Amino acid sequence: MLLELARPRRRLISITPLIDVVFILLLFFMLSSTFNKARQMEVTAASPGQQQQHGEATRIVLSAAETAVVNHEVYPLQGPRFTALLDKLAKEGGPVILVSGADVRIQALVQLVDRMHQAGVANLKLGQSVTP
């Protein structure tokens, strides 16, 4: 006599835990990320002879030693003299040409451009970098 054994039922894979995990990951990434708009600064490149063409253009040379040379005068970037110079340049509204030394980090240049933008310097142009 043969006994018929019941076939084992196939278990269906439930996707409910998968949906829960995906939802938790989605919430985590949404809450941990920031959705700030990137600030944009309008900067144009100076033409090679612009300093000579416009006598009123102020040329600022940024060095790696956290100083800037303006009209053959050295200004520390963190000092009040440089802040007063930026305020004066913003009030005058004339063109400003920013030139960096070859050994200046790009982050320092971007920080100075942002600082000049916050001070109100509107007519800012980037010149070719100078070699030490």
Side-chain angles (χ1 to χ4, degrees), residues 39-114:
R39 293 186 299 162
Q40 297 177 355
M41 294 177 273
E42 186 70 32
V43 178
T44 57
S47 60
Q50 189 161 7
Q51 179 75 22
Q52 290 79 19
Q53 292 174 358
H54 304 289
E56 71 274 0
T58 304
R59 186 170 189 240
I60 299 175
V61 180
L62 179 64
S63 70
E66 297 291 324
T67 59
V69 178
V70 181
N71 298 332
H72 306 291
E73 193 172 340
V74 179
Y75 290 86
L77 292 179
Q78 303 305 324
R81 288 179 51 223
F82 190 69
T83 304
L85 175 70
L86 290 181
D87 292 338
K88 177 184 165 197
L89 291 174
K91 287 178 186 173
E92 290 175 356
V96 177
I97 300 174
L98 179 60
V99 179
S100 68
D103 55 347
V104 174
R105 293 180 304 117
I106 190 70
Q107 185 63 34
L109 181 66
V110 170
Q111 286 174 345
L112 181 58
V113 169
D114 186 40

XYZ file of all heavy atoms in Angstrom, residues 39-114:
568
model
N 25.491 78.792 -5.379
C 25.612 80.215 -5.702
C 26.453 80.368 -6.950
O 27.404 79.642 -7.160
C 26.238 80.968 -4.540
C 25.338 81.003 -3.325
C 25.911 81.854 -2.252
N 27.198 81.299 -1.830
C 28.104 81.968 -1.156
N 27.891 83.205 -0.830
N 29.232 81.416 -0.801
N 26.078 81.331 -7.753
C 26.821 81.578 -8.973
C 27.394 82.979 -8.924
O 26.762 83.902 -8.427
C 25.919 81.440 -10.187
C 25.362 80.052 -10.353
C 24.411 79.963 -11.523
O 24.096 80.968 -12.147
N 23.965 78.772 -11.824
N 28.617 83.110 -9.445
C 29.266 84.404 -9.504
C 29.603 84.692 -10.962
O 30.107 83.823 -11.668
C 30.545 84.397 -8.675
C 30.303 84.222 -7.205
S 31.833 84.138 -6.279
C 32.181 82.401 -6.406
N 29.316 85.882 -11.388
C 29.611 86.293 -12.760
C 31.043 86.802 -12.816
O 31.372 87.821 -12.216
C 28.641 87.386 -13.197
C 28.767 87.770 -14.641
C 28.284 86.680 -15.578
O 27.366 85.949 -15.209
O 28.856 86.586 -16.676
N 31.914 86.080 -13.514
C 33.308 86.458 -13.657
C 33.667 86.339 -15.133
O 33.347 85.352 -15.778
C 34.232 85.540 -12.821
C 35.689 85.912 -13.017
C 33.870 85.618 -11.363
N 34.313 87.360 -15.660
C 34.752 87.314 -17.050
C 36.272 87.323 -17.091
O 36.930 87.706 -16.131
C 34.211 88.522 -17.837
O 34.642 89.725 -17.190
C 32.697 88.512 -17.880
N 36.804 86.907 -18.199
C 38.261 86.902 -18.364
C 38.711 88.250 -18.907
O 38.086 88.817 -19.803
C 38.681 85.790 -19.319
N 39.770 88.774 -18.348
C 40.306 90.062 -18.809
C 41.099 89.840 -20.083
O 41.774 88.832 -20.257
C 41.196 90.669 -17.735
N 41.014 90.799 -20.976
C 41.817 90.717 -22.196
C 43.268 91.049 -21.845
O 43.532 91.736 -20.863
C 41.275 91.668 -23.254
O 41.313 92.995 -22.789
N 44.227 90.562 -22.609
C 45.636 90.739 -22.233
C 46.066 92.182 -22.034
O 46.865 92.479 -21.175
C 46.394 90.099 -23.406
C 45.436 89.150 -24.008
C 44.072 89.736 -23.794
N 45.573 93.140 -22.802
C 46.022 94.518 -22.680
C 45.058 95.408 -21.925
O 45.126 96.622 -22.034
N 44.165 94.829 -21.138
C 43.129 95.633 -20.491
C 43.695 96.582 -19.441
O 43.202 97.674 -19.262
C 42.069 94.735 -19.861
C 40.874 95.525 -19.361
C 39.671 94.642 -19.166
O 39.750 93.444 -19.285
N 38.567 95.247 -18.871
N 44.746 96.170 -18.749
C 45.335 97.045 -17.732
C 45.869 98.319 -18.368
O 45.740 99.402 -17.820
C 46.461 96.296 -16.992
C 47.165 97.112 -15.932
C 46.328 97.268 -14.690
O 45.439 96.498 -14.427
N 46.623 98.291 -13.913
N 46.464 98.201 -19.541
C 47.014 99.378 -20.189
C 45.923 100.216 -20.854
O 46.031 101.422 -20.938
C 48.046 98.960 -21.248
C 49.335 98.396 -20.685
C 49.200 96.951 -20.243
O 48.288 96.242 -20.645
N 50.094 96.514 -19.376
N 44.871 99.585 -21.354
C 43.810 100.312 -22.030
C 43.014 101.174 -21.066
O 42.674 102.301 -21.352
C 42.867 99.344 -22.741
C 43.498 98.633 -23.918
C 42.562 97.581 -24.485
O 41.469 97.361 -23.978
N 43.006 96.935 -25.548
N 42.705 100.617 -19.931
C 41.908 101.336 -18.931
C 42.805 101.657 -17.745
O 43.144 100.790 -16.962
C 40.719 100.488 -18.463
C 39.832 100.048 -19.592
N 39.022 100.921 -20.260
C 39.649 98.838 -20.175
C 38.361 100.268 -21.206
N 38.727 98.993 -21.171
N 43.186 102.883 -17.613
C 44.054 103.274 -16.518
C 43.395 103.134 -15.164
O 44.056 103.010 -14.163
N 42.046 103.128 -15.117
C 41.347 103.073 -13.841
C 41.167 101.649 -13.323
O 40.658 101.454 -12.235
C 39.975 103.751 -13.955
C 38.952 102.989 -14.785
C 39.013 103.279 -16.269
O 39.850 104.082 -16.703
O 38.219 102.672 -16.996
N 41.584 100.633 -14.082
C 41.442 99.249 -13.637
C 42.404 98.977 -12.485
O 43.590 99.283 -12.565
C 41.694 98.285 -14.779
N 41.894 98.403 -11.419
C 42.710 98.050 -10.263
C 43.136 96.600 -10.408
O 42.301 95.726 -10.624
C 41.907 98.230 -8.965
O 41.423 99.576 -8.906
C 42.755 97.947 -7.758
N 44.429 96.357 -10.284
C 44.962 95.002 -10.443
C 45.327 94.467 -9.074
O 46.130 95.056 -8.352
C 46.181 95.034 -11.354
C 46.708 93.678 -11.691
C 47.754 93.810 -12.795
N 48.116 92.511 -13.282
C 49.337 92.017 -13.236
N 50.309 92.730 -12.725
N 49.585 90.820 -13.718
N 44.733 93.328 -8.721
C 45.013 92.666 -7.446
C 45.728 91.359 -7.762
O 45.211 90.521 -8.499
C 43.716 92.387 -6.660
C 42.997 93.692 -6.339
C 44.014 91.606 -5.389
C 41.664 93.505 -5.664
N 46.938 91.194 -7.193
C 47.713 89.972 -7.393
C 47.671 89.176 -6.090
O 48.153 89.639 -5.061
C 49.167 90.291 -7.793
C 49.960 89.005 -7.987
C 49.193 91.137 -9.052
N 47.086 87.993 -6.161
C 46.962 87.122 -4.992
C 48.174 86.217 -4.906
O 48.581 85.607 -5.892
C 45.684 86.276 -5.119
C 45.388 85.281 -4.016
C 45.149 86.008 -2.700
C 44.191 84.432 -4.384
N 48.776 86.140 -3.715
C 49.937 85.270 -3.530
C 49.570 84.135 -2.575
O 48.568 84.185 -1.884
C 51.125 86.060 -2.971
O 50.864 86.437 -1.637
N 50.422 83.113 -2.558
C 50.160 81.947 -1.717
C 50.358 82.246 -0.235
O 49.940 81.478 0.612
C 51.057 80.797 -2.132
N 50.971 83.370 0.093
C 51.251 83.718 1.487
C 50.080 84.449 2.139
O 50.279 85.190 3.098
C 52.507 84.578 1.560
N 48.860 84.258 1.610
C 47.652 84.907 2.161
C 47.770 86.431 2.135
O 47.314 87.123 3.041
C 47.372 84.428 3.590
C 47.062 82.957 3.698
C 45.729 82.577 3.086
O 44.780 83.368 3.188
O 45.646 81.484 2.503
N 48.417 86.953 1.095
C 48.521 88.393 0.908
C 48.100 88.747 -0.502
O 48.097 87.898 -1.398
C 49.957 88.893 1.150
O 50.841 88.245 0.243
C 50.407 88.660 2.585
N 47.759 90.005 -0.684
C 47.410 90.520 -2.004
C 48.220 91.787 -2.244
O 48.390 92.612 -1.343
C 45.924 90.820 -2.076
N 48.701 91.930 -3.463
C 49.469 93.117 -3.836
C 48.569 93.986 -4.708
O 48.110 93.551 -5.764
C 50.760 92.734 -4.581
C 51.517 93.982 -5.001
C 51.628 91.839 -3.721
N 48.309 95.215 -4.236
C 47.480 96.162 -4.971
C 48.277 97.445 -5.108
O 48.656 98.056 -4.100
C 46.149 96.438 -4.229
C 45.291 97.391 -5.022
C 45.418 95.146 -3.939
N 48.548 97.854 -6.341
C 49.321 99.070 -6.611
C 50.647 99.069 -5.853
O 51.000 100.035 -5.178
C 48.513 100.317 -6.267
C 47.266 100.426 -7.107
O 47.212 99.939 -8.237
N 46.241 101.053 -6.558
N 51.369 97.959 -5.930
C 52.684 97.781 -5.302
C 52.621 97.888 -3.779
O 53.635 98.168 -3.137
C 53.709 98.776 -5.856
C 53.818 98.730 -7.336
N 54.364 97.667 -8.017
C 53.416 99.615 -8.296
C 54.316 97.898 -9.305
N 53.747 99.068 -9.513
N 51.469 97.674 -3.188
C 51.322 97.705 -1.735
C 50.764 96.355 -1.292
O 49.803 95.842 -1.867
C 50.362 98.831 -1.333
C 50.387 99.132 0.138
C 49.571 100.379 0.463
O 49.312 101.188 -0.442
O 49.196 100.514 1.638
N 51.370 95.771 -0.259
C 50.993 94.438 0.211
C 49.916 94.561 1.285
O 50.050 95.323 2.239
C 52.220 93.687 0.769
C 51.826 92.323 1.286
C 53.294 93.572 -0.293
N 48.826 93.794 1.095
C 47.715 93.762 2.041
C 47.536 92.335 2.547
O 47.398 91.416 1.736
C 46.404 94.181 1.365
C 46.309 95.628 0.978
C 46.800 96.080 -0.241
C 45.704 96.540 1.826
C 46.704 97.407 -0.608
C 45.592 97.872 1.468
C 46.098 98.292 0.257
O 45.995 99.614 -0.100
N 47.510 92.119 3.872
C 47.137 90.787 4.360
C 45.631 90.578 4.113
O 44.825 91.478 4.329
C 47.456 90.819 5.852
C 47.741 92.237 6.184
C 47.928 93.013 4.938
N 45.265 89.389 3.643
C 43.873 89.140 3.266
C 42.916 89.201 4.455
O 41.752 89.540 4.287
C 43.746 87.773 2.582
C 44.403 87.656 1.216
C 44.227 86.255 0.676
C 43.832 88.682 0.256
N 43.386 88.869 5.639
C 42.507 88.855 6.808
C 42.512 90.166 7.583
O 41.854 90.288 8.598
C 42.904 87.703 7.751
C 42.886 86.337 7.086
C 41.549 85.999 6.444
O 40.498 86.343 6.946
N 41.600 85.331 5.296
N 43.232 91.139 7.127
C 43.344 92.396 7.862
C 42.227 93.376 7.539
O 41.544 93.269 6.514
N 42.034 94.374 8.404
C 40.994 95.383 8.163
C 41.332 96.311 6.996
O 40.439 96.880 6.373
C 40.928 96.153 9.479
C 42.242 95.910 10.149
C 42.692 94.564 9.693
N 42.629 96.445 6.678
C 43.006 97.297 5.545
C 42.466 96.735 4.231
O 42.008 97.479 3.363
C 44.534 97.413 5.457
C 45.146 98.249 6.544
C 46.664 98.325 6.443
N 47.103 98.710 5.113
C 48.134 98.130 4.485
N 48.801 97.149 5.065
N 48.490 98.540 3.292
N 42.527 95.404 4.081
C 42.041 94.790 2.849
C 40.517 94.875 2.766
O 39.965 95.092 1.691
C 42.508 93.334 2.759
C 42.244 92.722 1.414
C 42.946 93.132 0.296
C 41.284 91.739 1.255
C 42.708 92.587 -0.946
C 41.047 91.178 0.019
C 41.756 91.601 -1.080
N 39.847 94.737 3.891
C 38.384 94.888 3.905
C 38.000 96.309 3.513
O 37.053 96.511 2.738
C 37.832 94.550 5.304
O 38.262 93.231 5.664
C 36.319 94.605 5.329
N 38.736 97.300 4.030
C 38.464 98.689 3.655
C 38.749 98.921 2.172
O 38.010 99.660 1.498
C 39.321 99.622 4.510
N 39.781 98.264 1.644
C 40.084 98.381 0.216
C 38.952 97.797 -0.628
O 38.548 98.393 -1.630
C 41.401 97.674 -0.103
C 41.770 97.621 -1.585
C 42.152 99.006 -2.084
C 42.864 96.621 -1.823
N 38.421 96.648 -0.225
C 37.301 96.041 -0.964
C 36.072 96.943 -0.934
O 35.375 97.088 -1.948
C 36.969 94.666 -0.395
C 37.973 93.551 -0.636
C 37.495 92.251 -0.029
C 38.254 93.380 -2.112
N 35.802 97.556 0.218
C 34.671 98.487 0.304
C 34.879 99.686 -0.613
O 33.946 100.142 -1.277
C 34.480 98.952 1.752
C 34.001 97.830 2.663
O 33.430 96.852 2.143
O 34.215 97.937 3.881
N 36.106 100.193 -0.665
C 36.414 101.333 -1.537
C 36.235 100.950 -3.006
O 35.653 101.707 -3.793
C 37.848 101.801 -1.275
C 38.308 102.926 -2.164
C 39.773 103.234 -1.893
C 40.318 104.090 -3.022
N 41.759 104.094 -3.062
N 36.722 99.758 -3.381
C 36.575 99.299 -4.769
C 35.103 99.088 -5.130
O 34.691 99.362 -6.263
C 37.357 98.001 -4.984
C 38.877 98.112 -4.939
C 39.521 96.728 -5.008
C 39.379 98.999 -6.053
N 34.309 98.636 -4.187
C 32.880 98.429 -4.444
C 32.170 99.761 -4.648
O 31.294 99.880 -5.512
C 32.244 97.657 -3.292
N 32.552 100.773 -3.876
C 31.919 102.097 -4.020
C 32.312 102.768 -5.320
O 31.505 103.431 -5.964
C 32.287 102.981 -2.833
C 31.594 102.598 -1.563
C 32.011 103.469 -0.411
C 31.410 102.956 0.883
N 31.927 103.664 2.035
N 33.594 102.605 -5.723
C 34.054 103.225 -6.964
C 33.417 102.571 -8.179
O 33.103 103.254 -9.160
C 35.586 103.128 -7.064
C 36.316 104.010 -6.084
C 37.824 103.795 -6.145
O 38.281 102.909 -6.906
O 38.536 104.518 -5.437
N 33.236 101.272 -8.145
C 32.585 100.563 -9.236
C 33.432 100.360 -10.470
O 32.929 99.923 -11.499
N 34.708 100.691 -10.413
C 35.588 100.520 -11.562
C 35.950 99.064 -11.770
O 35.694 98.205 -10.921
N 36.568 98.760 -12.903
C 36.956 97.380 -13.164
C 38.090 96.926 -12.243
O 39.000 97.684 -11.936
C 37.395 97.383 -14.624
C 37.711 98.792 -14.937
C 36.877 99.643 -14.035
N 37.993 95.691 -11.805
C 39.002 95.088 -10.943
C 39.490 93.822 -11.636
O 38.686 92.971 -12.027
C 38.429 94.744 -9.550
C 39.471 94.053 -8.697
C 37.915 95.996 -8.865
N 40.802 93.721 -11.804
C 41.395 92.540 -12.420
C 42.086 91.747 -11.327
O 42.990 92.247 -10.656
C 42.391 92.930 -13.525
C 41.677 93.723 -14.616
C 43.052 91.691 -14.109
C 42.590 94.273 -15.680
N 41.650 90.510 -11.143
C 42.222 89.629 -10.116
C 43.157 88.641 -10.797
O 42.763 87.916 -11.707
C 41.114 88.883 -9.373
C 41.559 87.917 -8.287
C 42.341 88.647 -7.199
C 40.359 87.218 -7.702
N 44.412 88.657 -10.346
C 45.442 87.792 -10.900
C 46.009 86.970 -9.757
O 46.245 87.491 -8.670
C 46.565 88.633 -11.562
C 47.645 87.741 -12.119
C 45.995 89.525 -12.636
N 46.216 85.678 -9.998
C 46.781 84.843 -8.941
C 48.177 84.396 -9.321
O 48.506 84.275 -10.501
C 45.901 83.612 -8.702
O 45.960 82.759 -9.811
N 48.970 84.140 -8.300
C 50.294 83.584 -8.538
C 50.167 82.130 -8.955
O 49.127 81.494 -8.771
N 51.226 81.585 -9.510
C 51.186 80.207 -9.996
C 51.058 79.200 -8.855
O 50.570 78.093 -9.054
C 52.437 79.913 -10.818
N 51.478 79.560 -7.656
C 51.449 78.628 -6.534
C 50.228 78.797 -5.635
O 50.147 78.195 -4.576
C 52.731 78.782 -5.705
C 52.957 80.223 -5.255
O 52.269 81.119 -5.776
O 53.825 80.445 -4.402
N 49.255 79.574 -6.058
C 48.049 79.819 -5.254
C 47.070 78.671 -5.466
O 46.822 78.245 -6.587
C 47.397 81.166 -5.651
C 46.086 81.367 -4.933
C 48.338 82.302 -5.347
N 46.517 78.170 -4.352
C 45.501 77.121 -4.443
C 44.220 77.703 -5.018
O 43.882 78.848 -4.775
C 45.216 76.531 -3.063
C 46.386 75.762 -2.464
C 46.068 75.181 -1.097
N 45.625 76.216 -0.156
C 44.420 76.256 0.412
N 43.529 75.338 0.150
N 44.102 77.212 1.243
N 43.502 76.899 -5.781
C 42.263 77.355 -6.410
C 41.215 77.711 -5.355
O 40.421 78.625 -5.547
C 41.733 76.302 -7.415
C 40.577 76.857 -8.249
C 41.274 75.052 -6.712
C 40.969 77.885 -9.232
N 41.224 77.015 -4.214
C 40.260 77.309 -3.160
C 40.470 78.715 -2.607
O 39.512 79.426 -2.325
C 40.365 76.270 -2.045
C 39.325 76.432 -0.965
C 37.910 76.239 -1.479
O 37.679 75.429 -2.365
N 36.974 76.987 -0.944
N 41.713 79.140 -2.460
C 41.993 80.491 -1.973
C 41.501 81.532 -2.971
O 40.953 82.570 -2.590
C 43.491 80.656 -1.715
N 41.670 81.250 -4.259
C 41.191 82.171 -5.289
C 39.667 82.273 -5.274
O 39.109 83.367 -5.337
C 41.690 81.717 -6.663
C 41.284 82.586 -7.851
C 41.932 83.955 -7.736
C 41.670 81.918 -9.150
N 38.997 81.136 -5.160
C 37.529 81.142 -5.130
C 37.018 81.856 -3.881
O 36.041 82.607 -3.933
C 36.984 79.703 -5.223
C 35.493 79.650 -4.956
C 37.293 79.122 -6.592
N 37.679 81.655 -2.749
C 37.272 82.338 -1.521
C 37.421 83.852 -1.657
O 36.564 84.609 -1.193
C 38.080 81.835 -0.328
C 37.675 80.466 0.131
C 38.577 79.929 1.225
O 39.674 80.445 1.466
N 38.132 78.873 1.889
N 38.501 84.297 -2.305
C 38.687 85.737 -2.503
C 37.650 86.295 -3.468
O 37.111 87.383 -3.248
C 40.101 86.040 -2.996
C 40.405 87.523 -3.205
C 40.199 88.308 -1.913
C 41.808 87.710 -3.723
N 37.344 85.563 -4.528
C 36.308 86.015 -5.458
C 34.965 86.112 -4.747
O 34.222 87.085 -4.915
C 36.228 85.068 -6.682
C 35.000 85.356 -7.518
C 37.475 85.195 -7.524
N 34.647 85.131 -3.911
C 33.399 85.163 -3.149
C 33.388 86.334 -2.172
O 32.376 87.025 -2.021
C 33.215 83.846 -2.402
C 31.874 83.758 -1.706
O 30.869 84.197 -2.311
O 31.814 83.243 -0.575
